[in-house]
Amino acid sequence: MTLTGAPVLSVKRAAKFFGNKLVFKEVTCVVGPGEIMLVAGPNGAGKSTLMRIMAGLSRQSAGEVALHLEPEEVAYLGHATFIYPGLTALENLAFWGSMYGLSPSRAELMALLQRVGLQLAAEEKAGSFSRGMAQRLNLARIYLVEPRLIFLDEPGTGLDPKSLARLRQEIVGLRDKGVSVVWISHHVAEDAALADTVLALGNRELTYFGPASGFVPEGAC
């Protein structure tokens, strides 16, 4: 259930150009605390570009984008996993924790790996991981810092059906804990049912922003 309170993210009439090429324009939305917003649209619509702008990793060409949180309260998971192949899963998490000034115990790190289904691979070098395993380790890195807002750019890439089901459960669980999630997914029809709101891009502009229950995916009858 969405929590009441001031928004954690607000976007007003945002636009993005690459040179003279318009990517999108007139994008307006808000994300509240404990809310899941699914970002939908065809390939090339600018979903990842918009997410990077929302996360403060890129700048819009026009309009306003405001994160109403401290930087350490925001986490971003993109297409790159940023794992260190020569380190084990446990060592990767311990290293990431130290970068945030944290000193998690082995038991705490193992709990994170169990949460993403990697407890049996804790001592394996991450360089031997499949794409799906690497993505799950990256998710554990996100959970390590306990952010209040998480950006997920196609986190299901490379995941098998069981892992994808686990991911969906985790995303819903984050909302239950009051964490906000902005989520790009390839499985829009299925994942919109888990979201509170949907933002859709198409034809270089915003085509929908509103309740997930009112969103009709492209091609649906």
Side-chain angles (χ1 to χ4, degrees):
M1 178 180 295
T2 303
L3 304 179
T4 59
V8 296
L9 169 70
S10 57
V11 179
K12 183 177 180 181
R13 303 187 68 181
K16 181 66 176 180
F17 287 86
F18 287 124
N20 294 324
K21 180 182 178 182
L22 174 65
V23 181
F24 54 74
K25 63 179 181 179
E26 297 293 331
V27 173
T28 296
C29 68
V30 294
V31 178
E35 183 173 84
I36 298 174
M37 183 175 77
L38 191 72
V39 181
N43 290 337
K47 301 186 296 296
S48 294
T49 299
L50 176 60
M51 178 172 281
R52 288 182 58 82
I53 290 172
M54 289 176 169
L57 300 175
S58 182
R59 289 192 60 82
Q60 68 275 17
S61 302
E64 302 174 9
V65 177
L67 273 170
H68 307 289
L69 298 171
E70 297 300 320
E72 61 271 18
E73 296 179 305
V74 180
Y76 173 88
L77 190 155
H79 295 162
T81 57
F82 298 110
I83 64 173
Y84 292 87
L87 300 180
T88 67
L90 273 174
E91 290 168 342
N92 267 281
L93 285 182
F95 173 75
W96 286 324
S98 69
M99 296 298 290
Y100 284 96
L102 304 174
S103 300
S105 67
R106 178 184 174 88
E108 290 171 328
L109 296 179
M110 285 298 298
L112 285 171
L113 292 176
Q114 184 171 9
R115 184 174 172 181
V116 297
L118 287 178
Q119 67 273 21
L120 297 181
E123 301 289 357
E124 293 182 19
K125 295 289 181 67
S128 67
F129 284 6
S130 66
R131 168 68 185 180
M133 292 174 69
Q135 190 75 328
R136 281 186 278 154
L137 180 55
N138 209 29
L139 280 171
R141 173 179 66 85
I142 296 297
Y143 299 151
L144 177 65
V145 299
E146 299 183 344
R148 292 177 56 196
L149 171 60
I150 300 178
F151 293 94
L152 300 175
D153 190 348
E154 298 178 357
T157 300
L159 298 186
D160 57 72
K162 183 177 179 180
S163 297
L164 189 58
R166 183 195 296 269
L167 171 67
R168 288 170 171 148
Q169 291 175 351
E170 284 290 337
I171 290 174
V172 172
L174 288 167
R175 174 175 57 194
D176 293 341
K177 295 176 182 177
V179 178
S180 305
V181 180
V182 178
W183 177 16
I184 298 175
S185 170
H186 272 316
H187 308 280
V188 174
E190 298 94 327
D191 293 337
L194 305 178
D196 299 293
T197 59
V198 173
L199 182 155
L201 296 175
N203 299 317
R204 296 182 289 280
E205 62 184 0
L206 182 72
T207 58
Y208 181 87
F209 174 66
S213 59
F215 175 68
V216 178
E218 186 176 347
C221 298

